[in-house]
């Protein structure tokens, strides 16, 4: 018969055996100089133009969090643009509304979604940040 301590140990050991490692994508508020430096370094980039009041943005957020935690996106640089307070950046990216997601590899835009909250579409867009999918 298992003691309580043994049972707790077995449960903890079993749960950690199946836990996947967490990968943290570097997320930063957009600024033109940082964005240009990352483009020059030919890095994978995601730009998310969002607003706190935007329902589509709120739906995209957990999907992006889940997908960018996957190991294949460990090198992704994720810039956020505040639609209400960074109008110069919004214009720079040609975004007419919040909930615009733009994928780049270096200086090349590889894809764009507007107001799409489907996990599969967002996953396809993120895949376009991987160098094997350039062009």
């Amino acid at each position: 018969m298992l003691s309580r301590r043994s049972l707790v140990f077995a449960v903890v050991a079993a749960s950690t055996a199946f836990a996947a490692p967490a990968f943290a994508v570097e997320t930063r508020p957009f600024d033109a100089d940082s964005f240009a430096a990352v483009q020059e370094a030919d890095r994978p980039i995601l730009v998310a133009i969002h607003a706190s009041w935007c329902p589509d943005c709120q739906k995209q957020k957990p999907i992006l969090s889940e997908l960018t935690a996957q190991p294949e996106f460990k090198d992704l640089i994720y810039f956020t643009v505040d639609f209400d307070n960074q109008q110069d950046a919004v214009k720079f990216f040609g975004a007419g509304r919040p909930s615009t997601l733009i994928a780049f590899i270096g200086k090349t835009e590889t894809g764009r979604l507007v107001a799409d909250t489907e996990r599969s579409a967002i996953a396809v867009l993120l895949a376009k940040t991987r160098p094997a999918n350039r062009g």
Side-chain angles (χ1 to χ4, degrees), residues 48-75:
I49 299 173
H50 70 95
S52 60
W53 48 264
C54 170
D56 290 334
C57 300
Q58 297 309 314
K59 290 176 186 173
Q60 289 173 339
K61 196 176 228 179
I63 297 167
L64 287 166
S65 181
E66 174 201 340
L67 292 172
T68 60
Q70 296 176 1
E72 60 262 35
F73 300 114
K74 66 181 173 48
D75 295 325

Side-chain angles (χ1 to χ4, degrees), residues 27-35 47-53 78-98 100 102:
T27 304
R28 24 176 123 161
F30 177 83
D31 78 82
D33 292 338
S34 294
F35 181 72
V47 175
I49 299 173
H50 70 95
S52 60
W53 48 264
Y78 180 177
F79 285 100
T80 58
V81 175
D82 185 306
F83 184 80
D84 296 317
N85 298 312
Q86 293 182 289
Q87 278 297 304
D88 288 344
V90 170
K91 289 176 187 168
F92 173 78
F93 289 110
R97 59 174 291 167
T100 299
I102 310 166

Side-chain angles (χ1 to χ4, degrees), residues 5 9-10 12 16 23-24 37 43 47 55 67 70 84 89-90 97-98 100 106-107 111 128:
R5 183 180 297 172
F9 177 76
V12 169
T16 58
F23 294 92
R43 300 279 307 271
V47 175
L67 292 172
Q70 296 176 1
D84 296 317
V90 170
R97 59 174 291 167
T100 299
K107 295 180 180 181
K128 293 179 180 181

Side-chain angles (χ1 to χ4, degrees), residues 114-131:
V114 179
D116 199 324
T117 59
E118 292 296 321
R119 184 186 185 284
S120 59
I122 295 170
V124 167
L125 178 72
L126 283 175
K128 293 179 180 181
T129 65
R130 301 192 58 217

